[in-house]
Amino acid sequence: MATHLSKLDLILNTITDGVLVVDSQGIVLYANQAAEILLARSPLIGQSLAVPVNPDKNSYQDINLIRSSGLAWAEMRSAPLEWDGRPGYVIALRDITERKSAEEAIKQLAFYDLLTKLPNRRLLQERLKHSINMERREGKQLALLMLDLDRFKAVNDSLGHQAGDALLQQVAERITGQLRDVDMVARLGGDEFIVLLEDIIHPDDAARVAEKIITDLSKPFKLNQSDDVRIGASIGISLYPQHGDSSEILLDHADAALYHAKDRGRGCFAYFSEELTVIVRERIALEARLRKAIEQHELCVFFQPQVDIASSRIVGAEALVRWRDPIEGLIEPVHFISLAEETGLILEIGEWVLREACRQGRLWLDMELPPLTIAVNVSSYQFHRSDINALAAKVLAETRFPAKRLELEITESGLMENQDKTTVILNSLHMQGIHLAIDDFGTGYSSLAYLKSFSVDVLKIDKSFIAEIPNNTDDMEIAATIVAMGHILGFKVLAEGVETTEQLDFLRKAGCDAYQGFIKSRPLPALKFAELLSDQNKGRNGV
């Protein structure tokens, strides 16, 4: 018998799988060398295995092993066995650490974002489906928060993709820090994230989490390239069961709510609603119509006179795009420009308006009408995401319109988006001889002193400060201050939205240089505007 056991022991010590025999209490009665290596314990005989064994039948399970080198995995098979007359079990162990590592790697690739280590869209959808089923059975509700970073592209473009990746990793950490352990945050791709809040008591709970995330993400980020990087976030919220009963519908509705949040000015959150669904569908239809309008040349340019206050003569014209829709008629830009900016169509529209305005200006010069300054609005999107300097040079060359007669207008807030880049662009445009104006002045965040560093010629007082004159003394003081300080800093000042003689009289006394508004004329088609100029030459028109 001893010889037989010695031969069996010799055989078992030649294999790489661990083999053990334990009694009913888990005390090791026999162990081969591979078992001692796998369990990193020697000797094993007489020790407690401390691994649960399923009694009365064969069993199979994976067990986790703790080694000095870290965690490891073993496949364990067991079966009842009588050993020296005592009941026990025979156990076979196989090292499956490499297999488990490979499975985990595959799982990471399939279900997790490689950059942030957050769950990806696939894992989110599986978790969301499970959560909906759970909440349906228990009569509870959940929320989806779809999050998009504001100004992320500007950081990525200016500081590089490595900085952008580092920023996304920090964003992931900050969002996670605002959540409960039971909540989930996933990265959908790019700068889009989504948060799943399970078992919320009240819809307001989602808003509170959204507010905390927005506040945290508005704080400065520290990157290797800069220690004061600022972004923001917009969040769209959909609720189960109020806004849908499937993962697909809830995701779509959170996305729709996100666009609503962006339309409200970014840095805020918005809930989904049926009313919003209609709005989103209308916007999608409007985008398709706008693309068609560009292709079929339905856009046109109107011109609003800009009048010198001292002489009451027209000295300029602001070019304003209009859409001649075959169904709705004339559509003003307030109804489609924001959509054009979101979709990138503004680049094509902006280039066409600039070329058409300069072409018309050249035509009026050839007609020997009084020389005018033609003012053209440049979208912030167009200003920062296209080479406006090269475009202006190309258009001026094509149309033969004098650079000194062209004035480009950009909003105050648009100028402040990327100040270093803005300065370079403005200087380049000024070197061409092009005049530059700040549109809607007073609604942004800059100071007149700071604007002195820009190569700017004209400040346009926003019409919101003119509308209540002479009834609002605060607006009167603001307008007069802008005129006075603008002159001190070397700017011409033009007031927008002048509609009454009282407003014009006030601006004349304040020393304002020029104005535009309905008191003189609404925006006119090119032919009507030319007639207005001709009447002025004949002395039949003036305010």
Side-chain angles (χ1 to χ4, degrees), residues 2-13:
T3 302
H4 177 72
L5 289 176
S6 297
K7 289 181 179 180
L8 180 61
D9 186 53
L10 179 63
I11 293 170
L12 293 177
N13 281 326

Side-chain angles (χ1 to χ4, degrees), residues 9-193:
D9 186 53
L10 179 63
I11 293 170
L12 293 177
N13 281 326
T14 61
I15 64 176
T16 56
D17 288 353
V19 178
L20 305 100
V21 177
V22 299
D23 64 17
S24 58
Q25 304 303 314
I27 302 300
V28 177
L29 304 175
Y30 172 83
N32 69 350
Q33 293 177 2
E36 293 181 338
I37 294 172
L38 281 170
L39 297 175
R41 292 162 64 187
S42 179
L44 274 173
I45 295 176
Q47 296 189 33
S48 174
L49 184 60
V51 173
V53 178
N54 194 5
D56 302 327
K57 62 179 180 178
N58 297 345
S59 69
Y60 165 82
Q61 60 182 312
D62 289 346
I63 61 172
N64 191 244
L65 306 176
I66 300 177
R67 298 174 178 168
S68 58
S69 58
L71 293 177
W73 284 90
E75 175 186 276
M76 187 179 83
R77 297 175 183 271
S78 63
L81 173 72
E82 187 175 292
W83 183 269
D84 288 341
R86 291 183 291 172
Y89 304 90
V90 61
I91 296 173
L93 297 174
R94 175 168 293 175
D95 191 337
I96 57 170
T97 303
E98 290 186 4
R99 191 187 82 191
K100 282 287 187 178
S101 298
E103 290 174 354
E104 184 63 27
I106 293 171
K107 181 182 177 183
Q108 287 291 327
L109 289 172
F111 295 106
Y112 292 87
D113 173 53
L114 293 179
L115 178 64
T116 62
K117 310 305 181 186
L118 293 177
N120 62 13
R121 183 186 294 270
R122 181 178 174 185
L123 183 55
L124 168 71
Q125 290 175 326
E126 292 191 6
R127 169 77 175 272
L128 181 55
K129 289 177 183 178
H130 174 74
S131 298
I132 290 173
N133 290 333
M134 292 289 293
E135 307 294 12
R136 183 182 290 118
R137 285 197 297 268
E138 298 178 9
K140 297 180 180 179
Q141 57 184 338
L142 60 79
L144 276 186
L145 280 60
M146 187 169 286
L147 181 150
D148 183 73
L149 301 182
D150 302 331
R151 299 184 295 279
F152 171 75
K153 189 177 186 302
V155 175
N156 209 41
D157 290 346
S158 60
L159 299 182
H161 293 298
Q162 287 187 343
D165 288 348
L167 179 58
L168 289 173
Q169 290 171 333
Q170 291 185 34
V171 166
E173 292 174 359
R174 290 196 187 184
I175 296 174
T176 303
Q178 298 298 332
L179 305 179
R180 303 169 300 178
D181 291 340
V182 296
D183 299 328
M184 178 182 187
V185 56
R187 182 186 177 208
L188 299 186
D191 61 339
E192 286 190 328
F193 297 81

Side-chain angles (χ1 to χ4, degrees), residues 503-518:
Q503 292 168 352
L504 182 56
D505 288 341
F506 169 80
L507 292 168
R508 183 180 287 112
K509 292 176 183 177
C512 188
D513 300 289
Y515 75 92
Q516 65 185 78
F518 292 173

Side-chain angles (χ1 to χ4, degrees), residues 453-513:
S453 64
F454 291 142
S455 298
V456 172
D457 304 282
V458 178
L459 295 183
K460 298 186 70 176
I461 304 175
D462 186 71
K463 61 184 178 182
S464 63
F465 298 112
I466 305 299
E468 298 299 322
I469 293 175
N471 300 319
N472 189 312
T473 56
D474 289 342
D475 286 349
M476 294 171 70
E477 291 177 2
I478 291 171
T481 300
I482 292 175
V483 172
M485 294 188 65
H487 287 164
I488 291 172
L489 296 172
F491 301 129
K492 294 286 186 181
V493 182
L494 181 147
E496 299 179 288
V498 179
E499 298 183 0
T500 68
T501 54
E502 289 86 0
Q503 292 168 352
L504 182 56
D505 288 341
F506 169 80
L507 292 168
R508 183 180 287 112
K509 292 176 183 177
C512 188
D513 300 289

Side-chain angles (χ1 to χ4, degrees), residues 347-358:
L347 297 179
E348 189 172 354
I349 294 173
E351 179 175 347
W352 181 85
V353 171
L354 178 61
R355 183 174 282 104
E356 181 64 14
C358 291

Side-chain angles (χ1 to χ4, degrees), residues 145 147 178-179 197 204-219 233-235 237 264 266-271:
L145 280 60
L147 181 150
Q178 298 298 332
L179 305 179
L197 303 176
D204 288 351
D205 295 339
R208 293 188 185 96
V209 175
E211 281 279 285
K212 290 195 297 182
I213 292 174
I214 290 170
T215 299
D216 204 19
L217 294 184
S218 68
K219 298 174 183 177
S234 301
I235 297 178
I237 304 170
R264 291 174 57 182
R266 300 178 181 269
C268 62
F269 67 87
Y271 284 93

